[in-house]
Amino acid sequence: MKRWRSALTVLILCGAFVGLSGKILYKCESDRIPATGTSSAAEESENAHTTSVEEKRIALTFDDGPHPIYTPQMLEVLAQENVPATFFLLGENVELYGDIVKEIAAQGHLIGNHTWHHVQITTLSLEEARAEILETSELIEELTGQGTEYVRPPFGTWNPVLEDDLDLIPVMWSIDTLDWTTENVDQIVEQVAEEASENDIILMHDSYESTVQAVERIIPLLQAEGFEFVTVDQVIMD
């Protein structure tokens, strides 16, 4: 119930909107509370610096993995840049590439649930939906020793009844790179650079060479603009 209240808070405070694709997107905006009273120049400078850091948080998320070739390459890029990310894994791939799952966890990245077969949750019965999610979570925990608290439903459609039932928080996105539709690295990089703003959640897939190449360029590009890369829990629960 605690996590349900947290998820509900995300919806109320952050807002929800429907993109052109028809998917539900969540995007948080930092609260801005006018200062009252007087403060020293040093305090104002410190406050401005703190606000700037908080407002520049952004999260890289990767769906559909792990991939036997490109997930290890992505992990290498993230390690080189000391950047955390969130991986929403498919149970059927977790079963095949358990060692990669362990490496994702060992490097400190956040692991989330993406169902077992990449199915649209709202087309299933509650029993079938529970099985898709629970079997994936159980296998991830068996491999890493860590439970999953977050789920990204394929196609962005979700049944809220499952939140209390499974004690999971659904995580959507605010920037869809559509990286699975193109091998044009420049296009992916330019889209993220143009759309990136505070507390954005970027949707990508660690299943393509072009995505690995794009991330290699996106990280330094956004860091130069003052963005701090974080895992999704730091964006939606902060």
Side-chain angles (χ1 to χ4, degrees), residues 1-10 164:
M1 184 60 71
K2 179 180 179 182
R3 294 195 183 120
W4 161 246
R5 289 197 297 269
S6 298
L8 182 60
T9 301
V10 171
D164 270 345

Side-chain angles (χ1 to χ4, degrees), residues 195-215:
E195 296 185 23
S197 62
E198 57 185 284
N199 290 325
D200 266 329
I201 297 176
I202 304 171
L203 169 60
M204 308 184 86
H205 299 78
D206 53 322
S207 307
Y208 307 98
E209 182 179 16
S210 53
T211 300
V212 176
Q213 295 171 350
V215 170

Side-chain angles (χ1 to χ4, degrees), residues 108-225:
H109 301 294
L110 181 63
I111 294 178
N113 192 313
H114 199 44
T115 74
W116 189 276
H117 296 106
H118 200 275
V119 291
Q120 188 166 355
I121 289 295
T122 52
T123 66
L124 305 178
S125 68
L126 284 177
E127 183 177 353
E128 291 171 329
R130 289 190 194 100
E132 281 281 336
I133 294 169
L134 284 174
E135 289 177 17
T136 302
S137 290
E138 288 170 358
L139 183 54
I140 291 172
E141 185 168 8
E142 179 182 328
L143 289 168
T144 67
Q146 303 171 11
T148 52
E149 298 182 21
Y150 301 92
V151 58
R152 171 166 286 162
F155 312 104
T157 58
W158 178 245
N159 186 340
V161 173
L162 294 168
E163 287 171 48
D164 270 345
D165 191 12
L166 301 177
D167 200 20
L168 288 172
I169 298 173
V171 177
M172 304 300 180
W173 56 88
S174 53
I175 297 178
D176 186 352
T177 62
L178 296 174
D179 57 338
W180 59 276
T181 68
T182 180
E183 295 181 355
N184 188 326
V185 176
D186 288 339
Q187 179 180 322
I188 298 170
V189 173
E190 289 169 8
Q191 180 185 357
V192 173
E194 290 174 1
E195 296 185 23
S197 62
E198 57 185 284
N199 290 325
D200 266 329
I201 297 176
I202 304 171
L203 169 60
M204 308 184 86
H205 299 78
D206 53 322
S207 307
Y208 307 98
E209 182 179 16
S210 53
T211 300
V212 176
Q213 295 171 350
V215 170
E216 285 182 301
R217 293 168 52 186
I218 287 169
I219 290 173
L221 182 64
L222 294 188
Q223 286 177 330
E225 296 181 9

Side-chain angles (χ1 to χ4, degrees), residues 21-68:
S21 64
K23 297 176 179 176
I24 300 175
L25 313 179
Y26 297 98
K27 182 173 180 179
C28 301
E29 297 293 341
S30 297
D31 295 331
R32 293 181 173 83
I33 303 174
T36 58
T38 59
S39 60
S40 67
E43 289 174 334
E44 290 177 356
S45 176
E46 182 179 353
N47 290 338
H49 175 73
T50 301
T51 301
S52 175
V53 171
E54 292 178 348
E55 290 182 346
K56 285 294 196 176
R57 285 183 173 181
I58 198 163
L60 285 172
T61 67
F62 302 101
D63 287 7
D64 296 357
H67 187 278

